[in-house]
Amino acid sequence: MKNVIFLAPPAAGKGTFSDYLVEKFNYKHFSTGSILRENAQKNEKLKQILESGELVEDEVIIPLIENVLKSLSKEDKFILDGFPRTLQQAKKLDIILSGLGVLDVVVVSIDVEKETLIDRVIGRKVCSKCYKSYNTNILEFKPKVMDRCDDCQSVLIKREDDNQKSFLVRYNTYLESTLPIIAYYKEKGCLQVIQNTELEQTKALEQLRSVIK
Ligand code: ADP
C-alpha cells in the first residue's frame, strides 16, 4: 500500500475515503481540518479563520504536518487529508518527505461537481467527539439514530464553516490555490483522479483500492 495524499474541494469525500482506508488497511489518518478545529477550541483567532473558510498561515500548518509525519514509524502508512493546499505547501512537503525517506506516495484527486458539493455541505453533520462525518441529505450516510454517532453515540453537530458563505470561500480557494497542485503532481507522475458523484460511491471506493496498491 502507498501513502496517500488527498486533493479535493470541500465535502468531496476526503474524510469518508480516509475512514474507509483506516478501517480496511489500518492507515494513519491526518486531517488538518480536524486537527485545526480541535486547536481552535482554545484559540479565538484560529476559530475565526476556520469559520471564514480562509486558509490558516503556513507558519501554523507546516510545523504541525512536520510533527505528525516525524511521529510515524517506518511501517506506518499515512493519509494526508487537507495538506497540501497550496503549491508552496506541496513543495515544502516534498522536502519533508524526502528528508524522512518517504518515496511511495500517491496523490488522489477527488472530482465532484460544485452543485453536489453544496448539497453535501448543507446536509453534513459531524460527531462532536470522534468527528465521524454523516449526511442527513444522503441515505447511506444518515446516522442510525437521529443526531447520534453510530460509533460512539455522542451528539452530532454542524461544523461552523458548513454554510453556503464559507463553502464558497473554501471552494474558490480550492480553485485558485489547490487546483494548480494537481498539475504539479501530474507532471511528477504520481497523480490519480477519482470521480465521486452520488451514484458512484461503491465504484469510487473500488477505484480507490486499485490506485493505492
Ligand atoms: P474542507 O475540505 O471541507 O474544506 P477541512 O476540514 O479540510 O475542510 O479544512 C477546514 C479548514 O481548515 C480550511 O477551510 C482551512 O481554514 C483550514 N485548513 C485545513 N488544511 C489547511 C492547510 N493545508 N492550509 C491552510 N489551512 C488549512
Side-chain angles (χ1 to χ4, degrees):
M1 296 293 160
K2 292 179 181 149
N3 297 295
V4 177
I5 296 173
F6 281 126
L7 292 184
K14 288 179 295 180
T16 310
F17 281 9
S18 299
D19 289 347
Y20 173 79
L21 293 182
V22 169
E23 206 164 295
K24 198 142 176 88
F25 304 111
N26 210 17
Y27 271 87
K28 304 278 178 205
H29 173 213
F30 301 109
S31 156
T32 47
S34 300
I35 299 170
L36 291 169
R37 277 189 290 282
E38 206 158 322
N39 291 348
Q41 289 172 7
K42 295 164 258 143
N43 182 334
E44 192 51 38
K45 189 177 157 222
L46 183 57
K47 189 162 179 270
Q48 280 171 13
I49 300 174
L50 295 183
E51 279 173 23
S52 74
E54 305 281 350
L55 293 182
V56 306
E57 297 145 351
D58 280 359
E59 288 70 25
V60 173
I61 196 83
I62 288 172
L64 194 150
I65 284 294
E66 208 161 4
N67 285 338
V68 295
L69 290 175
K70 279 185 181 156
S71 74
L72 293 173
S73 66
K74 282 263 175 285
E75 306 78 54
D76 288 332
K77 291 289 166 203
F78 62 79
I79 300 168
L80 291 185
D81 158 358
F83 187 92
R85 264 177 152 92
T86 64
L87 200 51
Q88 196 167 310
Q89 289 182 1
K91 289 183 178 167
K92 186 66 200 180
L93 181 61
D94 282 349
I95 298 170
I96 298 172
L97 292 179
S98 68
L100 294 171
V102 176
L103 301 169
D104 51 345
V105 174
V106 59
V107 177
V108 180
S109 157
I110 311 173
D111 207 8
V112 183
E113 283 165 17
K114 188 176 174 188
E115 293 316 311
T116 308
L117 295 171
I118 295 179
D119 283 351
R120 289 188 190 170
V121 159
I122 302 300
R124 177 155 67 181
K125 283 196 171 177
V126 292
C127 174
S128 52
K129 197 163 164 221
C130 72
Y131 304 114
K132 187 171 171 162
S133 184
Y134 295 87
N135 205 302
T136 50
N137 288 344
I138 308 168
L139 193 62
E140 60 184 303
F141 291 110
K142 278 188 183 167
K144 292 194 182 101
V145 177
M146 198 169 82
D147 284 337
R148 290 279 163 185
C149 177
D150 292 352
D151 291 353
C152 70
Q153 284 74 48
S154 301
V155 71
L156 303 186
I157 53 168
K158 236 185 132 55
R159 268 171 52 173
E160 302 280 358
D161 61 350
D162 273 348
N163 55 65
Q164 191 128 348
K165 186 169 168 225
S166 177
F167 167 81
L168 287 175
V169 175
R170 286 187 282 149
Y171 188 74
N172 288 333
T173 306
Y174 170 77
L175 296 182
E176 277 165 31
S177 306
T178 311
L179 268 189
I181 319 181
I182 293 183
Y184 174 74
Y185 284 124
K186 194 171 180 188
E187 187 112 319
K188 277 173 153 279
C190 56
L191 181 80
Q192 296 282 349
V193 182
I194 292 184
Q195 304 292 332
N196 188 28
T197 50
E198 237 53 90
L199 294 171
E200 291 176 337
Q201 182 71 22
T202 332
K203 251 166 102 190
L205 291 176
E206 227 169 79
Q207 271 187 53
L208 179 63
R209 282 200 304 276
S210 81
V211 301
I212 61 166
K213 275 189 189 141

mmCIF file of all heavy atoms in Angstrom, residues 8-12 14 31-34 36-37 49-50 53-58 61 81-86 89 121 124 159 161-162 170, ligand 1:
data_model
loop_
_atom_site.group_PDB
_atom_site.id
_atom_site.type_symbol
_atom_site.label_atom_id
_atom_site.label_comp_id
_atom_site.label_asym_id
_atom_site.label_seq_id
_atom_site.Cartn_x
_atom_site.Cartn_y
_atom_site.Cartn_z
ATOM 1 N N ALA A 8 -8.848 17.675 -2.833
ATOM 2 C CA ALA A 8 -10.262 17.710 -3.198
ATOM 3 C C ALA A 8 -10.915 18.990 -2.710
ATOM 4 O O ALA A 8 -10.491 19.574 -1.717
ATOM 5 C CB ALA A 8 -10.977 16.518 -2.566
ATOM 6 N N PRO A 9 -11.980 19.403 -3.401
ATOM 7 C CA PRO A 9 -12.744 20.558 -2.900
ATOM 8 C C PRO A 9 -13.469 20.190 -1.605
ATOM 9 O O PRO A 9 -13.548 19.007 -1.261
ATOM 10 C CB PRO A 9 -13.739 20.827 -4.035
ATOM 11 C CG PRO A 9 -13.839 19.546 -4.777
ATOM 12 C CD PRO A 9 -12.537 18.848 -4.628
ATOM 13 N N PRO A 10 -14.003 21.186 -0.873
ATOM 14 C CA PRO A 10 -14.702 20.882 0.377
ATOM 15 C C PRO A 10 -15.860 19.913 0.169
ATOM 16 O O PRO A 10 -16.592 20.024 -0.803
ATOM 17 C CB PRO A 10 -15.219 22.243 0.855
ATOM 18 C CG PRO A 10 -14.916 23.224 -0.200
ATOM 19 C CD PRO A 10 -13.942 22.625 -1.142
ATOM 20 N N ALA A 11 -15.966 18.967 1.111
ATOM 21 C CA ALA A 11 -17.063 17.985 1.141
ATOM 22 C C ALA A 11 -17.050 17.010 -0.037
ATOM 23 O O ALA A 11 -18.059 16.386 -0.349
ATOM 24 C CB ALA A 11 -18.430 18.669 1.246
ATOM 25 N N ALA A 12 -15.890 16.821 -0.662
ATOM 26 C CA ALA A 12 -15.806 15.897 -1.802
ATOM 27 C C ALA A 12 -15.777 14.442 -1.353
ATOM 28 O O ALA A 12 -16.080 13.542 -2.139
ATOM 29 C CB ALA A 12 -14.563 16.196 -2.624
ATOM 30 N N LYS A 14 -13.087 13.369 1.179
ATOM 31 C CA LYS A 14 -11.767 13.014 1.710
ATOM 32 C C LYS A 14 -11.904 12.253 3.032
ATOM 33 O O LYS A 14 -11.231 11.260 3.252
ATOM 34 C CB LYS A 14 -10.936 14.280 2.004
ATOM 35 C CG LYS A 14 -10.445 15.010 0.791
ATOM 36 C CD LYS A 14 -9.648 16.250 1.222
ATOM 37 C CE LYS A 14 -10.538 17.194 1.909
ATOM 38 N NZ LYS A 14 -10.301 18.383 2.452
ATOM 39 N N SER A 31 -6.085 14.572 9.333
ATOM 40 C CA SER A 31 -6.940 15.588 8.719
ATOM 41 C C SER A 31 -6.535 16.931 9.314
ATOM 42 O O SER A 31 -6.746 17.172 10.509
ATOM 43 C CB SER A 31 -8.404 15.284 9.027
ATOM 44 O OG SER A 31 -9.167 16.474 8.945
ATOM 45 N N THR A 32 -5.960 17.792 8.477
ATOM 46 C CA THR A 32 -5.512 19.086 9.013
ATOM 47 C C THR A 32 -6.715 19.883 9.523
ATOM 48 O O THR A 32 -6.625 20.556 10.537
ATOM 49 C CB THR A 32 -4.751 19.906 7.946
ATOM 50 O OG1 THR A 32 -5.495 19.872 6.733
ATOM 51 C CG2 THR A 32 -3.367 19.377 7.745
ATOM 52 N N GLY A 33 -7.869 19.778 8.834
ATOM 53 C CA GLY A 33 -9.067 20.483 9.277
ATOM 54 C C GLY A 33 -9.475 20.055 10.683
ATOM 55 O O GLY A 33 -9.733 20.888 11.552
ATOM 56 N N SER A 34 -9.489 18.723 10.934
ATOM 57 C CA SER A 34 -9.887 18.235 12.266
ATOM 58 C C SER A 34 -8.886 18.669 13.327
ATOM 59 O O SER A 34 -9.278 19.083 14.417
ATOM 60 C CB SER A 34 -9.973 16.705 12.287
ATOM 61 O OG SER A 34 -10.921 16.274 11.363
ATOM 62 N N LEU A 36 -6.942 21.256 13.261
ATOM 63 C CA LEU A 36 -7.071 22.709 13.489
ATOM 64 C C LEU A 36 -8.342 23.032 14.266
ATOM 65 O O LEU A 36 -8.329 23.892 15.157
ATOM 66 C CB LEU A 36 -7.069 23.459 12.154
ATOM 67 C CG LEU A 36 -5.739 23.466 11.406
ATOM 68 C CD1 LEU A 36 -5.925 24.008 9.991
ATOM 69 C CD2 LEU A 36 -4.696 24.283 12.153
ATOM 70 N N ARG A 37 -9.447 22.345 13.949
ATOM 71 C CA ARG A 37 -10.707 22.616 14.676
ATOM 72 C C ARG A 37 -10.543 22.296 16.157
ATOM 73 O O ARG A 37 -11.064 22.997 17.006
ATOM 74 C CB ARG A 37 -11.868 21.818 14.074
ATOM 75 C CG ARG A 37 -12.483 22.501 12.849
ATOM 76 C CD ARG A 37 -13.743 21.818 12.404
ATOM 77 N NE ARG A 37 -13.502 20.521 11.818
ATOM 78 C CZ ARG A 37 -13.056 20.322 10.581
ATOM 79 N NH1 ARG A 37 -12.806 21.343 9.794
ATOM 80 N NH2 ARG A 37 -12.849 19.100 10.107
ATOM 81 N N ILE A 49 -10.660 32.234 11.653
ATOM 82 C CA ILE A 49 -10.151 31.901 10.311
ATOM 83 C C ILE A 49 -10.910 30.684 9.767
ATOM 84 O O ILE A 49 -11.369 30.679 8.622
ATOM 85 C CB ILE A 49 -8.630 31.608 10.321
ATOM 86 C CG1 ILE A 49 -7.849 32.825 10.811
ATOM 87 C CG2 ILE A 49 -8.152 31.184 8.928
ATOM 88 C CD1 ILE A 49 -6.359 32.588 10.985
ATOM 89 N N LEU A 50 -11.073 29.676 10.609
ATOM 90 C CA LEU A 50 -11.752 28.455 10.160
ATOM 91 C C LEU A 50 -13.198 28.748 9.771
ATOM 92 O O LEU A 50 -13.688 28.262 8.751
ATOM 93 C CB LEU A 50 -11.705 27.374 11.245
ATOM 94 C CG LEU A 50 -10.319 26.839 11.609
ATOM 95 C CD1 LEU A 50 -10.439 25.731 12.644
ATOM 96 C CD2 LEU A 50 -9.579 26.315 10.397
ATOM 97 N N GLY A 53 -13.509 30.300 6.354
ATOM 98 C CA GLY A 53 -13.183 29.464 5.197
ATOM 99 C C GLY A 53 -11.832 29.807 4.577
ATOM 100 O O GLY A 53 -11.415 29.183 3.606
ATOM 101 N N GLU A 54 -11.140 30.815 5.126
ATOM 102 C CA GLU A 54 -9.807 31.170 4.616
ATOM 103 C C GLU A 54 -8.783 30.120 5.062
ATOM 104 O O GLU A 54 -9.023 29.387 6.019
ATOM 105 C CB GLU A 54 -9.350 32.525 5.202
ATOM 106 C CG GLU A 54 -10.294 33.685 4.978
ATOM 107 C CD GLU A 54 -10.193 34.285 3.584
ATOM 108 O OE1 GLU A 54 -9.257 33.929 2.857
ATOM 109 O OE2 GLU A 54 -11.068 35.100 3.247
ATOM 110 N N LEU A 55 -7.616 30.104 4.415
ATOM 111 C CA LEU A 55 -6.558 29.187 4.828
ATOM 112 C C LEU A 55 -5.818 29.735 6.041
ATOM 113 O O LEU A 55 -5.652 30.949 6.171
ATOM 114 C CB LEU A 55 -5.540 28.989 3.694
ATOM 115 C CG LEU A 55 -6.029 28.271 2.442
ATOM 116 C CD1 LEU A 55 -4.878 28.127 1.445
ATOM 117 C CD2 LEU A 55 -6.607 26.902 2.768
ATOM 118 N N VAL A 56 -5.362 28.852 6.909
ATOM 119 C CA VAL A 56 -4.512 29.313 8.009
ATOM 120 C C VAL A 56 -3.082 29.483 7.475
ATOM 121 O O VAL A 56 -2.734 28.952 6.411
ATOM 122 C CB VAL A 56 -4.539 28.353 9.228
ATOM 123 C CG1 VAL A 56 -5.946 28.095 9.710
ATOM 124 C CG2 VAL A 56 -3.840 27.055 8.914
ATOM 125 N N GLU A 57 -2.268 30.200 8.244
ATOM 126 C CA GLU A 57 -0.920 30.525 7.733
ATOM 127 C C GLU A 57 -0.014 29.294 7.705
ATOM 128 O O GLU A 57 -0.143 28.400 8.540
ATOM 129 C CB GLU A 57 -0.259 31.551 8.666
ATOM 130 C CG GLU A 57 -0.977 32.860 8.724
ATOM 131 C CD GLU A 57 -0.890 33.469 10.116
ATOM 132 O OE1 GLU A 57 -0.423 32.798 11.056
ATOM 133 O OE2 GLU A 57 -1.297 34.628 10.239
ATOM 134 N N ASP A 58 0.936 29.318 6.776
ATOM 135 C CA ASP A 58 1.904 28.217 6.681
ATOM 136 C C ASP A 58 2.707 28.049 7.974
ATOM 137 O O ASP A 58 3.102 26.936 8.308
ATOM 138 C CB ASP A 58 2.881 28.485 5.523
ATOM 139 C CG ASP A 58 2.258 28.109 4.184
ATOM 140 O OD1 ASP A 58 1.100 27.639 4.186
ATOM 141 O OD2 ASP A 58 2.924 28.291 3.147
ATOM 142 N N ILE A 61 0.527 25.641 9.926
ATOM 143 C CA ILE A 61 0.196 24.324 9.387
ATOM 144 C C ILE A 61 1.446 23.476 9.084
ATOM 145 O O ILE A 61 1.442 22.254 9.277
ATOM 146 C CB ILE A 61 -0.713 24.480 8.129
ATOM 147 C CG1 ILE A 61 -1.382 23.167 7.772
ATOM 148 C CG2 ILE A 61 -0.006 25.018 6.933
ATOM 149 C CD1 ILE A 61 -2.592 22.907 8.553
ATOM 150 N N ASP A 81 -4.939 14.409 4.640
ATOM 151 C CA ASP A 81 -6.273 14.847 4.225
ATOM 152 C C ASP A 81 -6.364 16.339 4.553
ATOM 153 O O ASP A 81 -6.514 16.715 5.705
ATOM 154 C CB ASP A 81 -7.276 13.967 4.998
ATOM 155 C CG ASP A 81 -8.664 14.550 5.151
ATOM 156 O OD1 ASP A 81 -8.915 15.670 4.694
ATOM 157 O OD2 ASP A 81 -9.502 13.870 5.770
ATOM 158 N N GLY A 82 -6.148 17.161 3.524
ATOM 159 C CA GLY A 82 -6.209 18.611 3.753
ATOM 160 C C GLY A 82 -4.859 19.302 3.612
ATOM 161 O O GLY A 82 -4.764 20.511 3.733
ATOM 162 N N PHE A 83 -3.814 18.547 3.346
ATOM 163 C CA PHE A 83 -2.483 19.114 3.150
ATOM 164 C C PHE A 83 -1.785 18.336 2.052
ATOM 165 O O PHE A 83 -1.804 17.111 2.105
ATOM 166 C CB PHE A 83 -1.675 19.035 4.442
ATOM 167 C CG PHE A 83 -0.345 19.752 4.365
ATOM 168 C CD1 PHE A 83 -0.239 21.078 4.761
ATOM 169 C CD2 PHE A 83 0.778 19.106 3.866
ATOM 170 C CE1 PHE A 83 0.977 21.744 4.670
ATOM 171 C CE2 PHE A 83 1.982 19.776 3.766
ATOM 172 C CZ PHE A 83 2.082 21.098 4.182
ATOM 173 N N PRO A 84 -1.157 18.959 1.084
ATOM 174 C CA PRO A 84 -1.012 20.405 0.902
ATOM 175 C C PRO A 84 -2.251 21.029 0.247
ATOM 176 O O PRO A 84 -3.019 20.352 -0.410
ATOM 177 C CB PRO A 84 0.177 20.498 -0.045
ATOM 178 C CG PRO A 84 0.085 19.258 -0.866
ATOM 179 C CD PRO A 84 -0.460 18.200 0.036
ATOM 180 N N ARG A 85 -2.377 22.344 0.412
ATOM 181 C CA ARG A 85 -3.478 23.084 -0.208
ATOM 182 C C ARG A 85 -2.981 24.194 -1.121
ATOM 183 O O ARG A 85 -3.785 24.844 -1.787
ATOM 184 C CB ARG A 85 -4.356 23.698 0.879
ATOM 185 C CG ARG A 85 -5.583 22.883 1.243
ATOM 186 C CD ARG A 85 -6.309 23.571 2.366
ATOM 187 N NE ARG A 85 -7.725 23.316 2.388
ATOM 188 C CZ ARG A 85 -8.305 22.342 3.070
ATOM 189 N NH1 ARG A 85 -7.584 21.490 3.754
ATOM 190 N NH2 ARG A 85 -9.616 22.217 3.075
ATOM 191 N N THR A 86 -1.685 24.427 -1.097
ATOM 192 C CA THR A 86 -1.096 25.429 -1.999
ATOM 193 C C THR A 86 0.181 24.829 -2.599
ATOM 194 O O THR A 86 0.741 23.879 -2.038
ATOM 195 C CB THR A 86 -0.700 26.722 -1.250
ATOM 196 O OG1 THR A 86 0.335 26.388 -0.303
ATOM 197 C CG2 THR A 86 -1.870 27.339 -0.511
ATOM 198 N N GLN A 89 2.965 24.831 -0.158
ATOM 199 C CA GLN A 89 2.886 23.727 0.816
ATOM 200 C C GLN A 89 3.324 22.409 0.165
ATOM 201 O O GLN A 89 3.994 21.595 0.792
ATOM 202 C CB GLN A 89 1.454 23.577 1.351
ATOM 203 C CG GLN A 89 1.017 24.709 2.272
ATOM 204 C CD GLN A 89 -0.399 24.516 2.825
ATOM 205 O OE1 GLN A 89 -1.076 23.526 2.538
ATOM 206 N NE2 GLN A 89 -0.853 25.473 3.625
ATOM 207 N N VAL A 121 -22.471 19.834 1.827
ATOM 208 C CA VAL A 121 -22.083 20.737 2.912
ATOM 209 C C VAL A 121 -23.294 21.091 3.776
ATOM 210 O O VAL A 121 -23.219 21.086 5.003
ATOM 211 C CB VAL A 121 -21.429 22.015 2.330
ATOM 212 C CG1 VAL A 121 -21.479 23.162 3.312
ATOM 213 C CG2 VAL A 121 -19.991 21.740 1.947
ATOM 214 N N ARG A 124 -24.261 18.060 5.926
ATOM 215 C CA ARG A 124 -23.225 17.388 6.718
ATOM 216 C C ARG A 124 -23.348 17.669 8.214
ATOM 217 O O ARG A 124 -23.571 18.805 8.624
ATOM 218 C CB ARG A 124 -21.840 17.829 6.223
ATOM 219 C CG ARG A 124 -20.704 17.232 7.052
ATOM 220 C CD ARG A 124 -19.426 17.141 6.314
ATOM 221 N NE ARG A 124 -18.829 18.431 5.992
ATOM 222 C CZ ARG A 124 -17.698 18.561 5.323
ATOM 223 N NH1 ARG A 124 -17.066 17.496 4.885
ATOM 224 N NH2 ARG A 124 -17.214 19.761 5.057
ATOM 225 N N ARG A 159 -20.644 21.703 11.591
ATOM 226 C CA ARG A 159 -19.396 22.478 11.601
ATOM 227 C C ARG A 159 -19.728 23.934 11.349
ATOM 228 O O ARG A 159 -20.578 24.245 10.535
ATOM 229 C CB ARG A 159 -18.480 21.961 10.478
ATOM 230 C CG ARG A 159 -17.539 20.895 10.918
ATOM 231 C CD ARG A 159 -16.807 20.273 9.753
ATOM 232 N NE ARG A 159 -16.144 21.235 8.864
ATOM 233 C CZ ARG A 159 -15.345 20.877 7.867
ATOM 234 N NH1 ARG A 159 -15.113 19.603 7.630
ATOM 235 N NH2 ARG A 159 -14.781 21.787 7.102
ATOM 236 N N ASP A 161 -18.165 26.045 9.731
ATOM 237 C CA ASP A 161 -17.877 26.503 8.366
ATOM 238 C C ASP A 161 -18.729 25.787 7.318
ATOM 239 O O ASP A 161 -18.545 26.005 6.124
ATOM 240 C CB ASP A 161 -16.378 26.371 8.042
ATOM 241 C CG ASP A 161 -15.877 24.941 8.118
ATOM 242 O OD1 ASP A 161 -16.622 24.051 8.597
ATOM 243 O OD2 ASP A 161 -14.727 24.700 7.699
ATOM 244 N N ASP A 162 -19.661 24.935 7.748
ATOM 245 C CA ASP A 162 -20.514 24.254 6.767
ATOM 246 C C ASP A 162 -21.778 25.050 6.475
ATOM 247 O O ASP A 162 -22.894 24.648 6.782
ATOM 248 C CB ASP A 162 -20.842 22.820 7.228
ATOM 249 C CG ASP A 162 -19.757 21.846 6.775
ATOM 250 O OD1 ASP A 162 -18.917 22.233 5.935
ATOM 251 O OD2 ASP A 162 -19.756 20.711 7.263
ATOM 252 N N ARG A 170 -14.219 28.606 0.601
ATOM 253 C CA ARG A 170 -13.355 27.419 0.548
ATOM 254 C C ARG A 170 -13.271 26.865 -0.873
ATOM 255 O O ARG A 170 -12.210 26.437 -1.319
ATOM 256 C CB ARG A 170 -13.893 26.332 1.501
ATOM 257 C CG ARG A 170 -13.641 26.671 2.946
ATOM 258 C CD ARG A 170 -14.012 25.517 3.845
ATOM 259 N NE ARG A 170 -15.441 25.423 4.061
ATOM 260 C CZ ARG A 170 -16.107 24.290 4.270
ATOM 261 N NH1 ARG A 170 -15.469 23.149 4.288
ATOM 262 N NH2 ARG A 170 -17.391 24.296 4.477
HETATM 263 P P1 ADP B 1 -12.979 21.056 3.792
HETATM 264 O O1 ADP B 1 -12.124 20.151 2.982
HETATM 265 O O2 ADP B 1 -14.364 20.562 3.983
HETATM 266 O O3 ADP B 1 -12.939 22.490 3.317
HETATM 267 P P2 ADP B 1 -11.151 20.780 6.051
HETATM 268 O O4 ADP B 1 -11.692 20.153 7.280
HETATM 269 O O5 ADP B 1 -10.168 20.000 5.252
HETATM 270 O O6 ADP B 1 -12.443 21.174 5.245
HETATM 271 O O7 ADP B 1 -10.485 22.207 6.393
HETATM 272 C C1 ADP B 1 -11.170 23.159 7.138
HETATM 273 C C2 ADP B 1 -10.359 24.439 7.234
HETATM 274 O O8 ADP B 1 -9.085 24.189 7.888
HETATM 275 C C3 ADP B 1 -9.979 25.105 5.925
HETATM 276 O O9 ADP B 1 -11.036 25.876 5.402
HETATM 277 C C4 ADP B 1 -8.775 25.956 6.368
HETATM 278 O O10 ADP B 1 -9.192 27.119 7.065
HETATM 279 C C5 ADP B 1 -8.071 25.062 7.365
HETATM 280 N N1 ADP B 1 -7.008 24.239 6.740
HETATM 281 C C6 ADP B 1 -7.031 22.888 6.615
HETATM 282 N N2 ADP B 1 -5.929 22.451 5.979
HETATM 283 C C7 ADP B 1 -5.185 23.550 5.685
HETATM 284 C C8 ADP B 1 -3.947 23.779 5.008
HETATM 285 N N3 ADP B 1 -3.241 22.768 4.484
HETATM 286 N N4 ADP B 1 -3.503 25.050 4.896
HETATM 287 C C9 ADP B 1 -4.197 26.075 5.395
HETATM 288 N N5 ADP B 1 -5.369 25.941 6.025
HETATM 289 C C10 ADP B 1 -5.881 24.699 6.180
#
